[in-house]
Amino acid sequence: MTDWIGKTFTSDFGWNHLESLVDLGDRMAGSPGEREAMELTRDALEAAGARNAHIDTFEIQGWERGDSRVVTDGTTQDCIALPRSPSDASSGEFVDLGYGLPEDFEADLSGKVVMVSSTVPDHYERFIHRREKYYHAVEAGAEAFVFANHVEGCLPPTGSVGTEESPVGDIPAVGVSKEVGTRLARRFEGEAVTVEVDCETPPAESGNVHAELGPDTEDELLVTSHLDAHDIAEGAWDNGSGTAMVVELARILAEREDELETRVRFIAFGAEEVGLVGSGHESDRLGDEREHIKAVVNNDGVVFGRTLKFDTHGFDALEAAAESVGDQFDHPVSIVPELVPHSDHWPFTQWGVPGYMISCETAGRGRGWGHTFADTLDKLEVRNLREQAILLAQLVVDLADDEMEIQHKDEAEIIEALEEEDHAAGMKITGDWPY
């Protein structure tokens, strides 16, 4: 019965796939690297023993990086463009808005180049996403947006702007390291600064990779990740780790297929980093059939830390299942019941589908090395992949049990929770409010 555990402790299947992904070099949405990642993942799922492995393609607005500059008093400061920034140059008086909390944008920012931090204060009740800060700046009339890393190490952060309706943003946007941000705030507050972004926005193609195991039931579990990554790094943690986990889970569950009482569908989504496009495509494709999704088990940022973190979005049954797995293996797990309206579970969970956002506990707030040049394979350990795969494989088997009941929520319940947790206003600003 426990042979699968021993095999997992010596398995290199998921780790080898992770190495294959990071060695592609660039998995930006719509790029040749992302397409190759789709094909590698399709082949890995098939090799794992899953059936009907295939790619479902869709069109996206592409974005290709050129040069970018922050020019101060004739000096160019190091920066990188944020994906889906428009190709533009804007000048204005430099203003450091600190954390960039909603109240920091209440002033008229017309004619200003604004800089905000990539984090929020420790005491603040919720994390404010980069895109929310960007659109606060747009709404307040800013000329350009500078996103400063709060983590030391000379690492400018990336991350997309834009909305589903308007994929390319309104004002030029760049990321700068903490060190450059500190220099800008100290030396150039109130002075003229120019932000320049060169880029191309050609039409492009992305896709989702699908495969399945278990009985051909009407209800299904979705085990998901995203396989795209930002073009500046390997994307090992975000989210090569999640896709490696998906293929490792497929390998384990193929051996345990007779224990599955509900169909398990594996999906590695494309174009997550530019607005959850792949998962949104699949959710829209399913439409009313979303009622047959028993749960979404979404892996985004696993392996880096040893303890799995389960965001359960107020679904008590999901919380109980995660706690049970931790108890079964006498292994610590971290459970957060609040909503996370980001990553690939959300296009399903926003309509009441039970969904996990599974990551791992890390020190500090925010992504750390994620979304920087330093998101590289050397930060991850194969031990963590193997241990976490054991817990997650058992979780999927438990969720697939016919006796496991997980109630969907009404749309009104999700809306109420978003309002209570102070997400609603920001989602409306970013264009992510679907109701």
Side-chain angles (χ1 to χ4, degrees):
M1 171 134 184
T2 58
D3 286 352
W4 69 274
I5 297 177
K7 290 180 180 178
T8 303
F9 265 120
T10 58
S11 170
D12 288 323
F13 189 73
W15 187 263
N16 287 344
H17 188 62
L18 175 57
E19 289 188 344
S20 296
L21 292 177
V22 301
D23 287 347
L24 294 174
D26 179 358
R27 307 194 307 277
M28 187 71 180
S31 70
E34 189 198 36
R35 176 67 199 196
E36 192 170 352
M38 292 180 220
E39 294 169 354
L40 287 171
T41 302
R42 176 200 59 200
D43 295 347
L45 288 169
E46 187 171 43
R51 64 182 183 269
N52 193 27
H54 67 281
I55 299 170
D56 172 31
T57 61
F58 50 87
E59 299 301 314
I60 66 167
Q61 174 67 68
W63 189 88
E64 297 176 358
R65 183 182 304 280
D67 295 328
S68 58
R69 292 163 290 279
V70 175
V71 182
T72 57
D73 194 25
T75 302
T76 299
Q77 308 291 335
D78 290 336
C79 68
I80 56 175
L82 300 188
R84 293 194 164 176
S85 166
S87 185
D88 199 1
S90 293
S91 301
E93 178 187 341
F94 183 80
V95 177
D96 176 18
L97 292 184
Y99 289 112
L101 305 180
E103 53 267 30
D104 295 329
F105 294 94
E106 291 175 358
D108 180 7
L109 298 177
S110 299
K112 303 292 196 294
V113 171
V114 301
M115 183 175 74
V116 301
S117 170
S118 61
T119 192
V120 296
D122 289 339
H123 66 271
Y124 203 70
E125 61 270 20
R126 68 179 178 93
F127 187 78
I128 302 178
H129 196 271
R130 167 195 67 257
R131 290 177 62 247
E132 181 178 343
K133 296 181 181 184
Y134 176 80
Y135 278 102
H136 275 300
V138 170
E139 195 170 79
E143 296 292 330
F145 180 79
V146 179
F147 190 57
N149 204 343
H150 69 284
V151 179
E152 297 174 351
C154 298
L155 295 169
T158 190
S160 69
V161 295
T163 68
E164 184 176 356
E165 291 76 20
S166 180
V168 178
D170 296 85
I171 59 176
V174 298
V176 299
S177 67
K178 180 176 182 179
E179 292 78 6
V180 170
T182 300
R183 181 187 308 135
L184 288 170
R186 180 176 64 86
R187 294 182 57 190
F188 299 103
E189 180 80 20
E191 297 190 18
V193 168
T194 299
V195 174
E196 302 177 7
V197 172
D198 294 326
C199 61
E200 300 291 336
T201 54
E205 182 180 80
S206 184
N208 298 331
V209 182
H210 298 254
E212 58 188 62
L213 285 169
D216 189 20
T217 54
E218 185 175 36
D219 288 345
E220 61 181 1
L221 287 167
L222 302 187
V223 177
T224 70
S225 68
H226 70 87
L227 50 75
D228 65 310
H230 284 291
D231 59 323
I232 65 168
E234 297 175 358
W237 177 27
D238 187 11
N239 186 37
S241 66
T243 300
M245 183 64 72
V246 165
V247 301
E248 181 66 22
L249 291 175
R251 184 200 65 79
I252 298 169
L253 294 171
E255 294 188 6
R256 303 183 67 188
E257 191 168 17
D258 60 345
E259 299 177 59
L260 299 175
E261 296 179 352
T262 304
R263 178 175 57 202
V264 177
R265 189 149 60 94
F266 304 93
I267 314 177
F269 295 113
E272 188 268 357
E273 295 288 9
V274 291
L276 315 184
V277 181
S279 50
H281 169 78
E282 177 63 12
S283 179
D284 291 344
R285 187 189 70 82
L286 290 174
D288 291 342
E289 294 181 20
R290 286 187 295 256
E291 67 183 13
H292 298 301
I293 301 174
K294 195 171 186 181
V296 179
V297 181
N298 181 43
N299 301 272
D300 192 351
V302 294
V303 180
F304 179 64
R306 196 171 186 183
T307 299
L308 283 171
K309 177 184 173 186
F310 296 86
D311 292 285
T312 58
H313 305 92
F315 292 94
D316 293 340
L318 295 186
E319 182 173 338
E323 288 176 342
S324 175
V325 164
D327 291 342
Q328 288 178 63
F329 292 95
D330 193 23
H331 199 288
V333 296
S334 174
I335 295 173
V336 180
E338 285 79 21
L339 300 178
V340 180
H342 312 289
S343 194
D344 288 313
H345 59 281
W346 189 248
F348 305 93
T349 301
Q350 68 184 5
W351 304 119
V353 177
Y356 288 110
M357 161 67 176
I358 302 174
S359 55
C360 54
E361 283 197 335
T362 58
R365 202 163 190 175
R367 289 186 173 88
W369 281 310
H371 283 207
T372 75
F373 297 111
D375 184 2
T376 51
L377 185 64
D378 55 286
K379 311 299 191 306
L380 307 181
E381 297 184 35
V382 67
R383 172 197 66 180
N384 293 349
L385 175 60
R386 292 165 173 166
E387 286 184 0
Q388 292 174 2
I390 290 170
L391 270 67
L392 293 176
Q394 188 60 49
L395 175 69
V396 173
V397 171
D398 292 349
L399 294 173
D401 193 300
D402 284 340
E403 295 184 4
M404 172 66 73
E405 295 187 4
I406 312 172
Q407 296 295 321
H408 285 221
K409 290 182 181 288
D410 292 333
E411 179 183 308
E413 294 179 82
I414 300 295
I415 293 173
E416 181 180 5
L418 288 169
E419 296 280 4
E420 289 179 352
E421 295 177 23
D422 196 30
H423 294 293
M427 291 175 69
K428 292 173 182 176
I429 287 173
T430 59
D432 295 327
W433 188 256
Y435 308 108

